[in-house]
Structure formats: structure tokens, C-alpha cells
Amino acid sequence: MNLELSEEQAAARRLAEDFVDREIAPHAAAWDRAERVDRGIVKRLGEVGFLGLTVPEEYGGSGGDHLTYALVTEELGRGDSAVRGIVSVSLGLVAKTVAAWGSEEQKRRWLPPLTSGEAIGCFGLTEPGTGSDAGNLTTRAVRDGDSYVVDGSKMFITNGTWADVVLLFARTGDAPGHKGVSAFLVPTDTPGLERREIHGKLGLRGQATAELVLQDVRVPADALLAPEGKGFSVAMSALAKGRMSVAAGCVGIAQAALDAAVGYATEREQFGRTIAHHQLVQELITDIAVDVDAARLLTWRVADLIDRGEPFATEASKAKLFASEAAVRAANSALQVFGGYGYIDEYPVGKLLRDARVMTLYEGTSQIQKLLIGRALTGVSAF
Ligand SMILES: Cc1cc2nc3c(=O)[nH]c(=O)nc-3n(C[C@H](O)[C@H](O)[C@H](O)COP(=O)(O)OP(=O)(O)OC[C@H]3O[C@@H](n4cnc5c(N)ncnc54)[C@H](O)[C@@H]3O)c2cc1C
């Protein structure tokens, strides 16, 4: 087994590292306080090719494999999870899903603007009443001649107020549970679609999170992505790959926590020497470092499986479960290393902890990942 990166992968990682250090990290605290990242960053991410990774070049993408995508995503997560999330949703959940499931016309219409950063996508699955139990969503799309009329609402939608297009999941027909779900590509300026920004998030404050309310939203029949009734498969395939992206972002958070903790511990003095000399501080740092490596290796394994065309969904759940919990532990330990200063906004570790906390919740909570892994191991579904 060879864990050495190819020249292209190493170059992409260096490019991402440099981009993050120049264009993202210096602004992350200010964007967090302003509760808004500079939207110009999306265009720059597009210019450097980070919004088109793994998408075929003939549709405006930058190609590349999933390990490259994971490497870039880790760097973005190291710089600012708010920005990482914009990419993971617009590229990871929307553009990649259009590339995988879309008609030729849908690919030509949506992929060039999404991969260049001219347009942003959002993923509309969760509803106020259905989060973990997404298969029982209630938003309804009723066929009317050459169109569908959609009514319902979506909750906690990342990029919601910014997005130009929503990959929307709605119930068509009478089939119960997930069998009745279909996927649609709906431009967000369609009459009847209202977007309400959600304020007061614990973390990811620079990101636009919204509730979408749909009343008599008329979409043409060719907005349907994949055949009617296949929507839940579309959503699950998007989320399986999305979990690798969340895991990679979490590795970035844990790495940032490690860098910050080592930097502080080797400068701050107590009892006449730097706190790095105190063994219990070394323990905090060592535990973060082991978590970083373990989470990274689990994430790379998923990327490798995807790139080799092997089944990867259970490994993606394991990586997402471990890396998200590890990111919370790492940020919390780094805050401990910073002592009281860690609790103050001026230092980076508080933001890392706030941003990390949501990772165990979205794209399937830790409990849901455990049920998915348990089902794969035992053949018994606990859902
Ligand atoms: C900042 C943010 C951004 C998000 N972005 C998006 C987005 O872009 N698009 C989108 O569609 N959604 C998005 N979400 C929604 C997210 O995916 C859901 O919050 C998540 O799936 C959990 O659903 P819920 O919040 O309704 O919690 P619930 O499903 O109500 O769960 C509450 C608790 O019960 C537990 N639980 C539920 N069912 C079981 C079970 N069977 N066994 C054991 N425990 C269980 C859960 O693990 C959790 O601890 C986002 C959420 C947040 C906070």
C-alpha cells in the first residue's frame, strides 16, 4: 500500500495551502464576526479550480480525483469551515450530483456556472419536521401538464440565501416513505420561493443558512433530476460522497487545532518554562495529533475507494463519524492548551470549537452514522 501522493496531488495540496494562507485564513475571524464571508471568495475559488474538482472538464470542471478533492477540502477546513462548507455543498452535494445524475442539458446548463463560481448551489433535503428521518419529508410536487407545482418548506439550508439553484427533494405520487421522493433543480428566483436567513448559529457564522418556503412554485418537468421516485437514491448518493468532504473538512479543523496548540505551548511560559514542558500539556497535544492522523487516513481510504470504483458508503460513514468527533475533541483540547485566552474571541481556537460542533450533526448525525455502520455489519436495519 502506497500512501505517497502523486506529483499532481502534492501540487494541488500546496496550491490549496497557499491559497488558504493568503486568501482565507487572514479573514476568517473577521468574516465570523461579521456573520458573512466575502462573497468574492467564491469567484476566486472558482478561478483556482477548487469548485470544479472531480467534475469533467467538458462541463467546465477541473477534473482530478477524489483524493485531490479531499486534500483541497482539508486545507479549506483548516482555513475556515464556513468557506469549506460553501464548497462542500455547492460542488460536493450539488454540482457533483448533477454530473452524476443529470441529463446532458442539465449538465450543460448548471455545471459551467457552478464550477466557475458564477453560481452557487444549495441542497434542500431537511425540513422542519424531518431531519434524520429525511425519507418521510412532506414537501410535495404535483404534476400539472408540463410542469410540477411545489409546496412545502426546507430547514437549515447551507448557502440558502446565496444560492442560484436548489437541488430540492419533494414527494411526487403516493408511494410511502423514501420511495415517493423525487429530486428537482429549481432556480431560486422562481416565483413563490422565499428564503429566510437563520441567524444566531453557534458556529459557521460566515455561512448563509436559510429556511426555504415554497408556495405554488411552478417548475418545468425537465427540472426533474433522475426519474420520478429516484430522489432518495440521489440524496443518499450525494450524502455518501458528501460525508467524505465533511470528514476532510474536520481533518482540517483538527490540524488547525494542532498547529495552534503547538504554537502556543512552545511560547507561553508558566512555572518558569514553556507550558510544552509540562507533560499533561504534551498529552493534550499528542492526543490531537493522533486524532488528526487517524481521521486523515480514514478520509483518504474513502477517497481511494471512490477513485477505484469500489463501494465506499460505510467507510464514508466511519470517516465522517470519527473525524467529526475528533474535530470537536481536538478543538476542545486546543482550547485547554490556551487556558483562559482560548475562551477569548481574539484567539482562533474558540472559533474552531464552535465550527467543529455542527460536524457531528449535519449530513447525518453521529447516531445515524452508527446505525448505518451497524446495519452494514449486521444486515439488520435499526431505522
Ligand atoms: C448549520 C447547519 C447546516 C445544515 N445544512 C443543511 C443543508 O445544506 N441541507 C440540508 O438538507 N440539511 C442541512 N442541515 C440539516 C442537518 O442535516 C440536520 O440538522 C440533521 O440531519 C439532523 O436533523 P435534525 O436537526 O432534524 O435532528 P433530529 O433528526 O430531530 O435528531 C435529534 C436527535 O435525535 C437523534 N436521533 C434521531 N433519530 C434517531 C434514531 N433513529 N436513533 C438514534 N438517534 C436518533 C439524532 O442523532 C439527534 O441527536 C444543516 C444543519 C445545520 C445545523
Side-chain angles (χ1 to χ4, degrees):
M1 189 180 191
N2 183 6
L3 290 176
E4 204 180 346
L5 300 179
S6 70
E7 262 180 46
E8 293 80 19
Q9 289 161 343
R13 187 191 222 179
R14 279 195 303 277
L15 179 67
E17 202 178 334
D18 183 55
F19 182 89
V20 165
D21 288 343
R22 271 186 304 107
E23 306 246 6
I24 296 177
H27 310 290
W31 290 342
D32 186 63
R33 285 185 204 117
E35 294 197 13
R36 182 68 27 126
V37 309
D38 173 3
R39 195 172 171 151
I41 194 67
V42 177
K43 198 82 183 67
R44 290 196 288 284
L45 285 162
E47 283 160 7
V48 78
F50 293 164
L51 284 169
L53 285 166
T54 78
V55 174
E57 288 170 23
E58 61 175 307
Y59 300 112
S62 34
D65 55 18
H66 281 80
L67 184 51
T68 304
Y69 177 47
L71 295 167
V72 170
T73 307
E74 176 188 326
E75 286 304 319
L76 295 174
R78 182 178 64 79
D80 188 357
S81 291
V83 175
R84 195 280 301 161
I86 293 170
V87 175
S88 287
V89 171
S90 193
L91 165 62
L93 294 183
V94 181
K96 277 154 64 74
T97 307
V98 174
W101 292 84
S103 65
E104 189 59 25
E105 199 190 327
Q106 287 167 332
K107 290 184 205 174
R108 300 233 169 262
R109 175 171 179 194
W110 290 114
L111 291 179
L114 286 171
T115 54
S116 66
E118 274 160 43
I120 299 178
C122 68
F123 185 81
L125 180 65
T126 303
E127 299 185 351
T130 53
S132 301
D133 190 13
N136 274 319
L137 60 84
T138 59
T139 293
R140 187 160 277 283
V142 177
R143 183 85 191 223
D144 180 26
D146 285 344
S147 31
Y148 288 87
V149 179
V150 189
D151 286 279
S153 64
K154 296 287 168 183
M155 194 63 179
F156 296 134
I157 305 306
T158 302
N159 298 343
T161 49
W162 280 20
D164 302 277
V165 59
V166 52
L167 174 50
L168 184 88
F169 298 90
R171 188 163 294 289
T172 49
D174 296 325
H178 62 83
K179 291 196 181 111
V181 175
S182 300
F184 296 87
L185 286 165
V186 182
T188 51
D189 59 3
T190 309
L193 198 165
E194 191 196 335
R195 302 185 274 174
R196 300 174 183 162
E197 186 143 3
I198 297 169
H199 291 284
K201 296 198 297 288
L202 180 66
L204 301 185
R205 291 186 180 159
Q207 227 173 58
T209 309
E211 180 179 5
L212 309 183
V213 179
L214 301 104
Q215 269 186 318
D216 288 333
V217 174
R218 188 170 283 275
V219 293
D222 64 8
L224 190 65
L225 182 79
E228 255 200 29
K230 285 278 174 208
F232 202 67
S233 302
V234 172
M236 291 305 111
S237 72
L239 288 173
K241 283 190 182 162
R243 283 169 190 149
M244 186 202 78
S245 176
V246 175
C250 289
V251 178
I253 293 177
Q255 181 67 57
L258 180 61
D259 295 344
V262 170
Y264 191 77
T266 49
E267 278 178 13
R268 172 75 172 169
E269 290 190 7
Q270 290 294 290
F271 299 96
R273 49 195 187 159
T274 64
I275 59 171
H277 282 86
H278 304 305
Q279 290 178 349
L280 295 179
V281 173
Q282 290 215 2
E283 182 189 43
L284 287 168
I285 291 172
T286 302
D287 286 348
I288 301 174
V290 175
D291 267 344
V292 169
D293 281 357
R296 185 178 286 131
L297 287 170
L298 284 170
T299 305
W300 284 19
R301 180 174 68 170
V302 182
D304 179 59
L305 287 170
I306 298 174
D307 286 333
R308 286 191 291 111
E310 299 286 336
F312 64 91
T314 305
E315 279 65 31
S317 284
K318 290 180 191 169
K320 196 268 181 184
L321 171 64
F322 184 86
S324 60
E325 300 281 348
V328 175
R329 278 196 300 274
N332 200 32
S333 295
L335 197 150
Q336 194 69 20
V337 171
F338 272 70
Y341 295 96
Y343 203 63
I344 307 298
D345 187 33
E346 202 180 312
Y347 293 85
V349 286
K351 176 177 181 301
L352 291 176
L353 181 58
R354 289 189 287 102
D355 288 348
R357 194 60 194 79
V358 77
M359 307 296 163
T360 71
L361 299 173
Y362 66 16
E363 298 207 23
T365 64
S366 289
Q367 287 72 28
I368 294 302
Q369 304 309 327
K370 287 179 185 176
L371 295 183
L372 291 169
I373 297 164
R375 183 174 68 184
L377 291 170
T378 64
V380 176
S381 176
F383 290 106

